[in-house]
Every structure is written in structure tokens, then in C-alpha cells.
Amino acid sequence: MAALSMLVAGLASGSVEVVDLTAPLSSDTPLLELPEQFGQTARFELELISRYDDAGPAWYWNNFRTGEHTGTHFDAPIHWITGQDGEDVASVPPSNLVGPAAVLDFSAEAGENPDFLVEIDHIKAWEKQHVPLPDRGWLLVRTGWDARAHSQEEFLNADENGPHTPGLSAECAQWVAQESPVIGMGVETVGSDAGAAATFDPMFPCHSFMHGAGKYGLTQLRNLDRLPPTGAVLIASPLRIVNGSGSPARVLALVER
Ligand code: MN
């Protein structure tokens, strides 16, 4: 049977499940907060146009306002200065929006230490146990952080020293960007970098190295616990915003049951 016919049959029989990795997008969606000297991204807000009323007797619709980097979203290379000559979100080839996913589970480590950092050796150990990271695929980092998404405070987990959330070390980010075959990395936290990454060298190394290498980021994913370590296919669908640095995205995974 042809591949797409097999996929359609699998969807119909339930042997292929579609898992939604997207957080609901509303004015309650947790939001990145930068130090106050910097510009801030906007909350998601709906503005009613009409709802079966005088402004539209048979139809309901809204305008919305949002930051590009609000909620489950896609980071394009142009988001960072290192990728400023790279793709905007409208220029990302569609073939790069569908690919195999490797899911690495660090929820135990991040549960013990919110500042936990993934190192190159963690990834190499995972590769030894499973398979090499997938060519043109996605590295998905599970930390259990999606369980905190109901609360801005718990999600950012900040104190007087700044936010405490897990991520990659600078060395690991450079390795994923420059040595590994994946084209993107996805996380459950508010951004692709660790909470303390403003103090790393370089600052925000995931953004710096990944976008400098023309690679992508996905943030605020959920339901990664429903994916196998290997074998899932990720589908990311950011809006095709011309000159956009990123976009809220619906992110799905196809999983064989
Ligand atoms: Mn972002």
C-alpha cells in the first residue's frame, strides 16, 4: 500500500493517533517576561466583532492581538541576531514543518532541580540506548514543565535571582545546533532557553546557536509524555506571517499505537 493510503487507514483504525502538543491559547496563557529595560511581548487577547447580534446577526467572529512568541509557538531563524539573514517564519520551507521526533525525558531531573541543564553526554547516552537523533528531525525535551502551565507564577518560577526553569547548557546548545542532524528543538517551557540563560555565555545559547545555524525552536509544548522516545512524526504549523520572527502554532504528533 502507498504511504498515504496506509496513513489514512491507520488514522481510521486508530493505529495512528494524532496527539495535540499545543497549549490552549487565551488571555490566561503564560507569557515570557524580560527584564524591564527591554520591550515586552503581548498577551493573547480576543476582541469581539459580532456574535449573532446587530453587528452580525448570523455570525460570530473576533479580531485578536498577540505577540508572535505567545503560547505554543515557533521561533524562526530571523528571531535572533545570529540568524538575522536567515528565514522569516513565512519563508520556512513546508518540508521542514513535518519530521521525525526524538523525545528525551528529563522530567525526573527537572523535578529535582528546576535549573537542570541537559548536557551533550545526556543526549549521547540517550542515542546509545535508542537511536541517533533523527536527520532533519526534532529534538523534543520533556521536563514535566507543562504541568505548571496553569499558573504564570509557577511556569516562570522566578525569584530575586530570575527565572528557574530547565533547558540546555551552552555547550549542549552549540552541539545540537552545529553537530547534530536535527533541524529544530522543542521544549515545554516558556522559551527554548533555560530560565538562567541570560547569564550564560553566550547569553540565550539555544537561540544564539540554533538560529545562527538556521534551525528552529518550538516552545510551550504539552503532552510530550504521550509520545514514544522514537517513531513519532511532528507537524508544526506556524502562521505564515510575512517578515514574522515566529508565530503561535498548532503542533501535532502522529504516533503509532
Ligand atoms: Mn520564541
Side-chain angles (χ1 to χ4, degrees):
M1 210 189 298
L4 289 181
S5 302
M6 287 177 70
L7 173 61
V8 169
L11 290 166
S13 72
S15 70
V16 175
E17 185 189 357
V18 183
V19 177
D20 201 339
L21 306 184
T22 318
L25 188 56
S26 76
S27 57
D28 294 329
T29 297
L31 202 64
L32 181 71
E33 290 174 11
L34 292 183
E36 60 185 17
Q37 67 266 34
F38 300 121
Q40 304 294 331
T41 191
R43 273 193 184 285
F44 182 87
E45 289 172 55
L46 279 183
E47 174 199 78
L48 182 68
I49 305 172
S50 73
R51 190 162 192 162
Y52 331 123
D53 51 23
D54 289 346
W59 52 94
Y60 167 53
W61 58 346
N62 302 291
N63 295 314
F64 64 79
R65 178 172 192 270
T66 185
E68 294 169 327
H69 298 258
T70 296
T72 301
H73 71 270
F74 186 97
D75 288 351
I78 201 175
H79 178 41
W80 217 252
I81 189 167
T82 50
Q84 62 184 296
D85 298 323
E87 295 160 356
D88 67 0
V89 73
S91 305
V92 175
S95 58
N96 285 357
L97 298 175
V98 181
V103 184
L104 280 63
D105 183 2
F106 300 104
S107 51
E109 292 87 341
E112 298 251 307
N113 173 16
D115 291 308
F116 173 75
L117 296 179
V118 179
E119 301 288 353
I120 300 169
D121 283 348
H122 291 117
I123 299 180
K124 289 191 167 166
W126 183 93
E127 287 184 310
K128 205 167 176 185
Q129 193 187 343
H130 297 280
V131 291
L133 290 182
D135 192 28
R136 306 189 53 73
W138 288 81
L139 166 63
L140 303 183
V141 179
R142 172 159 162 70
T143 54
W145 220 254
D146 58 342
R148 296 167 173 252
H150 60 280
S151 157
Q152 169 91 6
E153 200 181 337
E154 284 183 42
F155 202 60
L156 299 189
N157 197 37
D159 62 16
E160 64 280 7
N161 298 316
H164 298 277
T165 63
L168 270 54
S169 73
E171 294 74 18
C172 188
Q174 184 169 20
W175 184 86
V176 173
Q178 298 175 3
E179 308 290 332
S180 90
V182 300
I183 57 169
M185 189 187 77
V187 299
E188 296 173 339
T189 45
V190 75
S192 60
D193 266 295
T199 66
F200 294 0
D201 183 21
M203 66 172 175
F204 304 108
C206 277
H207 285 84
S208 184
F209 289 123
M210 291 293 282
H211 298 326
K215 295 185 176 183
Y216 313 117
L218 283 172
T219 69
Q220 296 191 48
L221 299 175
R222 55 176 54 188
N223 295 325
L224 294 184
D225 59 327
R226 294 174 56 195
L227 306 188
T230 67
V233 174
L234 180 133
I235 303 168
S237 58
L239 298 177
R240 200 172 180 192
I241 301 169
V242 174
N243 293 326
S245 73
S247 165
R250 193 75 181 249
V251 184
L252 306 172
L254 303 179
V255 178
E256 197 137 23
R257 295 298 182 203

